[in-house]
Each structure stands twice: as structure tokens, then as C-alpha cells.
Amino acid sequence: MIDPIPLQVTAETFAENINALGASINYMWILTVSFLIFFMHAGFAMLEAGQVRSKNVANQLTKNLLTWSVGVTVFFLIGAGVSSLVGGGGFNFVPVDDPASWGNGWFYGAVFAMTAATIVSGAVAGRAKLRAYVTYTFLLAAVIYPVVTGITWAGGYIQFGDAVFYDFAGGTIVHAMGGVAGLTAAYVLGPRIGRFNDDGSVNVIPGHSMTFAVLGTLLLAFGWYGFNVGTASILSVSAVTVEDGAITGGIAFNGAVLGRVVMTTTVSMAMGAIGAALVAWAKTGKVDTLYVANGLLAGLVGITAIPDAATWWGALLIGLLAGAQLPLVFELTEKLGIDDVCAVFPVHGSAGVLGTLAFPFVAADLGPSVANAFLAQVVGVAAILGWTVVATGLIWYVLKATGQARVTPEHEQEGLDVSEHGVETYPEFGGSDSVVADGGPTFKTDGGSDITEGDNE
């Protein structure tokens, strides 16, 4: 019989191993949830593609692709450093920083930044020039969003008395900021041709695929677990040290926080869909599918600022209110003559503000006084949205003044797929120029009758 080999570990080695284990688990957790958040871009692409005309689908998909590609590069080179600078840490240039921080530092911040950026594309769909949108994305990733994170998450400057502005996962910092930016850009651009009549009445311009819109909604909801739950670390790590032979510190599982975030995120999501469905039904006697889908997202946005702090009943209430306000706020934007194509303001803007301001009233364990906490939330929301409106409005007004903001009426009516990209998303349903070499596609004659070629005659 072979005697077992004794495993001898010094106290110092044990402490090093525990510290490395805790850091490794949290690091891989951050990477995993960052990948989930990145996948939300598939949801945004499908949701927006479903809500635009078929002649603008390729344009919307291209904007989503370039949002990530341009935005993440700019945030890597400029934006992350600006956020650090505004937050008081100096301009930290990512490429020369510690490579160990790139996964749970820069990349984790980048997927949040790109979520804020891509929201804008849904508001300006159908009439914004691609170059204008890319220019704005560049500036949002380089300056606008980094200033917001610099004064909040990085710097913690916004406070009132003993209360600091609280936004756990970006209900206002990411979503309301993106929603207000989209609303501002849509206002400056003006509505799509035919959206409003001279008397102010509204014409519905339906999206081309409810299926895509609902698929996009569910993809976003899936990724949202990375957004909210991922913001909470799996482990709390207190550095393990050895002094006089005694080991202090250790790691603890954050199950209570993770469980609360999962619960509040899920029930708020569900109540958002219910709230929007109820209001739509009360107004029209019908349950509008797109309102239900967007209401589900509004419920998610509403809880994003406080999923770790809200009570169970608070999550139910916030979700219900966030969904219920959606049809009402969307109708208000229409009355104001603003053409917010994908309803980004009622989904991301007003719902995000609602949840952020509700923090003192639904928190399970509020440290500061309710009054101070509420005033800190108000100041934070006002600062973030005020900066966003001014910066976004300035950029789009300059683009408009130089003739670079909006496509020509002819190109808008033709569709941005052809005018901006030279492609058709559905060539088989296009004009006679869409006929391809395999034979048999159907197209319209000038008179409007169907003609088939090849084997389909």
C-alpha cells in the first residue's frame, strides 16, 4: 500500500490561492455577462428592423452594426479615458493600461456604452443620413456618454446631504440617457414624410414585421439578465491576509443580492407587458402586440436603476407603471409632432426616469432619509438629461445646418436601403430592376400588375 503524499500549504500560499480564486470567478462572471449584453445588439437589430418599412431594413441593420463597430473603437481609444478623467482618475489610455483590467474594466464599460448609443438609431429611423448617425455615434462614445459615467459611476459627484445618486445598472445613466438623446435627435430631424397631416393628426406608418419586433424584444429580455444580474458580483472578496499566524478575510457568495436582482428584473419585466396591454385595451378595446412587446422592455428599463434594492412589491409596481405610461407617453410625443419611430423615449427615457426616481420609495433598506435620497435622484436625473439634450441638440443642429442630417425627400420615399446602401432587403418584392439571374422573381410593372418570369410563367 502506498502512503498518501501529504499536501502541505503554508498560510501565505493558502491566502494567495483564496484571493486568486475569488478574483478569477468574478472576472469570468464579468466576461460572461458582458457577452450577454453584447448579444442585446441582435435584439435591438431585430426590434428596430421589425418596426421600420421594408425599404429601410438594411439601413437599420447597418446602423446597428456600425454603432458597435465605430462606437466600441472610439470608446476604447477615447471614451473610457474621458470617463476616468471626468471621474477624477486622470485620462487612462486603455491600450497601455494593465491588460488584466481590459476584460472587467474597459470591455464591461464598452457594452454598456454601446447600449446607450444604439437606442438612438430607433428614434431617427427612416430619414437620417448614415454619415450623420455615425458622426453622432462617434461623439456619443467619445464624450457624451463618458461625461455621464464620469460624474456618476466614476466620480460619484451627484449627492444631496447624506444621499448619493443611485443607479445600479443604468436605468438613467444608460437607458434614459439614450432615450432622451433619441427624442432630441428625432425632434431636430423632424418627422418622416406623411407621418403628420397639416392639422396635426397622425398617420400610422406600420413596421414591416411584427415577428421581427417580438423576436427582438425577447432577445433583449434575455440579454437584460446580463445587464442587471451581471452588475452584481458573484462573490464578495475581502483580501485574505496572514498576520501572526492568523488568517483574516475571505470570500462570500452574494446570493442574496443576485436572487433579489433576478426576482425584481423578472417580475418588473412581466408587469411592464401587462401594464401596457391594459392601457392599450382600455384606450382602444384592443391589445396592441407592439405595445405589449415595448411594455415588456419598459418594465425592464424601469427596474434597471434599482433591481438590487427594490422590494418585491416595488418591482411589481414599477413594472406596471413603466408599462402603463408607454402608450400615454408615446401618444404625447405624437401630439408634440415628434416622430419617434421605435418609441425609444417612452421605452427607455420616461421608464428609466420613473424607476430611478422611485428608488427612495420602494427600497427595501434605505440608508439616507427619503427626502435626501429623492432630491439626490432628482438632481442626478436633471444633470444627466440636461447634458444629454444640450450636447445632442447641438450636434444634430450643426448637422442639419450643414445639410448633413437628413436624406432628400426623394431618397426618403425611395427608401434608405437603395439610396444609402444600394441594396434591397427583399429584392424579390422590388421593382423590375430587382430581377436576378436565377429566373422567376415577381416584380411590378408600371401599371402595378404582377409579372413573373422564367419557370413561373
Side-chain angles (χ1 to χ4, degrees), residues 91 118 120 174 208 233 236 252 261 284 297 302 327 358 370 415:
F91 188 93
T118 200
V120 180
V174 175
H208 92 289
S233 299
S236 293
V261 175
T284 66
L297 296 178
V370 172

Side-chain angles (χ1 to χ4, degrees), residues 113-153:
M114 294 308 98
T115 300
T118 200
I119 291 170
V120 180
S121 66
V124 300
R127 74 272 201 203
K129 286 185 177 181
L130 181 64
R131 71 192 71 168
Y133 176 74
V134 170
T135 298
Y136 179 73
T137 298
F138 183 104
L139 295 171
L140 183 144
V143 180
I144 300 175
Y145 177 79
V147 167
V148 171
T149 55
I151 64 176
T152 53
W153 287 333

Side-chain angles (χ1 to χ4, degrees), residues 120-206:
V120 180
S121 66
V124 300
R127 74 272 201 203
K129 286 185 177 181
L130 181 64
R131 71 192 71 168
Y133 176 74
V134 170
T135 298
Y136 179 73
T137 298
F138 183 104
L139 295 171
L140 183 144
V143 180
I144 300 175
Y145 177 79
V147 167
V148 171
T149 55
I151 64 176
T152 53
W153 287 333
Y157 299 137
I158 302 173
Q159 53 186 315
F160 194 92
D162 59 344
V164 178
F165 175 71
Y166 194 84
D167 190 340
F168 182 72
T172 290
I173 293 172
V174 175
H175 289 279
M177 179 265 172
V180 168
L183 185 74
T184 304
Y187 171 77
V188 176
L189 273 178
R192 289 167 292 174
I193 294 173
R195 183 71 170 99
F196 300 109
N197 298 314
D198 292 338
D199 61 359
S201 57
V202 180
N203 296 315
V204 176
I205 302 178

Side-chain angles (χ1 to χ4, degrees), residues 9-24 237-242 247-248 250-251:
V9 179
T10 65
E12 288 75 11
T13 302
F14 175 78
E16 291 174 0
N17 289 343
I18 291 296
N19 289 331
L21 176 64
S24 298
V237 180
S238 176
V240 177
T241 59
V242 179
I247 299 176
T248 60
I251 58 177

Side-chain angles (χ1 to χ4, degrees), residues 370-456:
V370 172
N372 283 353
F374 180 68
L375 288 171
Q377 298 302 92
V378 170
V379 171
V381 167
I384 292 167
L385 301 191
W387 158 251
T388 301
V389 168
V390 171
T392 301
L394 177 63
I395 293 166
W396 281 97
Y397 271 120
V398 169
L399 290 168
K400 185 176 182 179
T402 56
Q404 299 302 313
R406 184 166 179 154
V407 299
T408 64
E410 294 76 19
H411 285 173
E412 184 176 340
Q413 291 178 318
E414 180 184 28
L416 273 62
D417 289 3
V418 173
S419 63
E420 293 273 281
H421 309 283
V423 300
E424 290 179 340
T425 304
Y426 303 103
E428 289 86 352
F429 303 109
S432 59
D433 292 339
S434 300
V435 176
V436 290
D438 61 358
T442 300
F443 61 90
K444 298 287 186 180
T445 66
D446 291 340
S449 60
D450 289 334
I451 294 179
T452 57
E453 289 188 347
D455 295 336
N456 291 335

Side-chain angles (χ1 to χ4, degrees), residues 290-310:
L290 199 54
Y291 273 147
V292 174
N294 279 324
L296 184 146
L297 296 178
L300 284 166
V301 172
I303 200 63
T304 294
I306 55 173
D308 65 319

